[in-house]
Amino acid sequence: MIVLTRLNGPSFALNPDLIERVEANPDTVVVLIGGAKYPIAESVEELLERVRDYRGRVIASAHAAEFPSASFPPSDSPSVPERVLRILPTPSAD
């Protein structure tokens, strides 16, 4: 969830996955998938930064859950196994 501020002052938490679009004319208005509109005090740029930060935290949490003993970014420690991604060629249909 991200915390935003209504134009009249109180803060509220919003699930950024429900955002359909953001309008700026001149106030910033968040429009949700269901059609609800929330005028907010933050600029479009501030909102986008908060959404990026939120998504980054989600990805970092998922990485930590998947690789609990690994550090991120990976260290040069021998206790951290090296992970290699190999891309194999697509088999031909001949």
Side-chain angles (χ1 to χ4, degrees):
M1 301 283 262
I2 59 173
V3 177
L4 300 172
T5 309
R6 294 181 191 269
L7 279 180
N8 60 358
S11 297
F12 68 103
L14 177 71
N15 180 349
D17 294 331
L18 300 178
I19 297 173
E20 179 181 318
R21 67 181 182 273
V22 180
E23 301 169 351
N25 52 2
D27 296 327
T28 307
V29 178
V30 178
V31 182
L32 303 185
I33 293 171
K37 294 182 178 185
Y38 294 96
I40 60 171
E42 291 80 10
S43 68
V44 173
E45 292 78 20
E46 289 173 301
L47 174 62
L48 294 177
E49 183 178 336
R50 290 182 190 184
V51 170
R52 277 192 297 269
D53 290 346
Y54 167 79
R55 296 199 191 288
R57 288 192 309 273
V58 168
I59 291 169
S61 296
H63 183 273
E66 181 75 21
F67 307 106
S69 64
S71 62
F72 188 79
S75 66
D76 293 335
S77 169
S79 64
V80 177
E82 183 176 328
R83 302 200 188 280
V84 177
L85 175 65
R86 291 188 324 156
I87 300 176
L88 302 175
T90 306
S92 61
D94 320 276

